[in-house]
Amino acid sequence: MNTILALDQGTSSTRGIVFDQNLDMLGTAQEEISQHFPQPGWVEHDAEEIWQSVLVTGRKAIKKSGGSASGLSAVGITNQRETVVIWDRKSGVPLHRAIVWQDRRTADHMEALREVGKERLVQERTGLVLDSYFSASKLHWLLREIPDGHARAAAGDLAAGTIDSWLIFRLTNGRVHRTDITNASRTMLMNIGTGEWDLEMLALFDIPVAMLPEICPTSGLIGRCAPEHFGAEIPISAAVGDQQSALFGQLCTQRGMVKCTYGTGCFMLMFVGADAVPSKNRLLTTVAWKIGNSPPEYALEGSVFMGGASIQWLRDGLGIIQTASEVNDLAAKVPDSGGVVLVPGFTGLGAPYWDASARGSIFGLSRGTSAAHIARATLDGIAFQVTDLLGAMEQDAGMKIWRLRADGGASASDLLMQIQADLLGVTVERPKAIESTAIGAAMMAGLGVGLWPDSDALCQIRQVDREFPATLPARERRDRMRRWKRAVKRSRHWQP
């Protein structure tokens, strides 16, 4: 039976999904991941909990599919990027909680490197900007925290990697320590041109190369699951960072095609092909994927730290909604935000600002402001950030975009998608299956074992659910963007 198990390990949950050759879901399971906040700005996960959630969801998905592990052609892994784990190579035991991509504890370290003029070097070598978002400074911090960390790492006693590496190590019972090139490109330790660990970046962050995984293609044989985990020895034929996985899942395989995933954060990627396009607008140049022996291909990326997490704040912080989905009904009670502008800088601002000191702010409150206006302004705030990204991306690529392909949990909101189309002034397209991240991993895994000959065959399978054409007059769009820019400026100059 030509089925694939996709393991989608995200920031807030882990999912296992079994797909058939037509990319229909046969079985699915999901487990939430605990979030740990030991200090303001710090975000951690329990790596052992992540591993157990992968086992549980994978097994449940296989059972619900009505098949067995022996019928699976391949396993594909997609994961939250930049989050890092250090573990004992012999025992496989994590030595500290995983530090999550949202974590800001190393912001001062990044600022210090910026002050001594290292940002240009980092961007030229890695395609990234100096920010604590990426893995290198997190690893640096962990090695200093773990007793004798550097000595043990240099001796080969410790292993480190992003979540894909951690899962591959555990799935293969420690036989394989590898990462794929998309995840490696997010560490700030990989040379974007060569696809190898960069010695100067390793020296800059004092990271022993002995602890790092081997870099391998996105699609192709990476290892084999030990049979006791899912019931059979299954090839692991894809590992891919979640946003690159969504880009491929949306089949953005032609230059200039753009997708945005609306999840915990919002992540926009534009496929730019065989050349790594440098950014002049503080976007990221990243590896899109490397399929088998083909050369790597690249993308431009912008990241919004607080996307769906802003809606979670309405639920958990303010308590004005009971479930995340209620935000749509509440926001729809008013025709607009009533002049309220919410800047979701709760963990700083991502691209194109990269301002760790920015804070979440609400402007334009009046006695007439209601919970509905706050909810509407929250949806606006998500869409405003994405609009900033697309404008910067168009400038870097030297082309205008006429369509945005949207996915992720929050893209299920018709209201948010219409707000987004109106602010962008382009059509937003939502696929029938909005979980493009898991689908992309399944596609990559299938290609890795020859289930499909190429991406053209996959294009015949993809289905569109709905298109959202822009309806807002251009003048009103410009007025709203001006108000947003003013609010962002004030949020960035916030002082305690």
Side-chain angles (χ1 to χ4, degrees), residues 278-323:
S279 174
K280 297 179 181 179
N281 292 284
R282 306 203 79 203
L283 299 179
L284 310 177
T285 303
T286 193
V287 176
W289 45 70
K290 175 177 166 57
I291 298 176
N293 294 322
S294 299
E297 297 183 289
Y298 298 91
L300 284 170
E301 176 175 340
S303 305
V304 168
F305 296 150
M306 296 291 291
S310 302
I311 298 171
Q312 293 173 345
W313 172 73
L314 293 181
R315 180 193 66 193
D316 302 333
L318 293 188
I320 63 174
I321 54 175
Q322 298 301 309
T323 64

Side-chain angles (χ1 to χ4, degrees), residues 179-236:
T179 188
D180 102 288
I181 193 170
T182 67
N183 281 291
S185 74
R186 311 296 297 189
T187 61
M188 203 178 279
L189 298 172
M190 191 196 86
N191 188 299
I192 194 73
T194 67
E196 302 291 341
W197 299 122
D198 188 282
L199 295 181
E200 194 161 356
M201 291 298 101
L202 293 174
L204 182 65
F205 290 98
D206 200 14
I207 308 293
V209 71
M211 75 188 308
L212 296 178
E214 174 191 353
I215 300 174
C216 65
T218 307
S219 178
L221 183 62
I222 297 170
R224 296 182 183 276
C225 293
E228 61 264 33
H229 297 316
F230 297 123
E233 188 178 76
I234 313 163
I236 304 170

Side-chain angles (χ1 to χ4, degrees), residues 248-300:
F248 195 76
Q250 287 272 36
L251 292 173
C252 294
T253 56
Q254 301 296 317
R255 186 175 184 274
M257 296 182 75
V258 182
K259 75 88 193 174
C260 186
T261 296
Y262 296 79
T264 304
C266 295
F267 302 89
M268 180 181 287
L269 274 76
M270 174 193 287
F271 182 71
V272 295
D275 297 321
V277 176
S279 174
K280 297 179 181 179
N281 292 284
R282 306 203 79 203
L283 299 179
L284 310 177
T285 303
T286 193
V287 176
W289 45 70
K290 175 177 166 57
I291 298 176
N293 294 322
S294 299
E297 297 183 289
Y298 298 91
L300 284 170

Side-chain angles (χ1 to χ4, degrees), residues 50-61:
I50 287 175
W51 162 238
Q52 292 298 326
S53 72
V54 165
L55 288 180
V56 169
T57 56
R59 290 167 179 170
K60 285 183 178 179

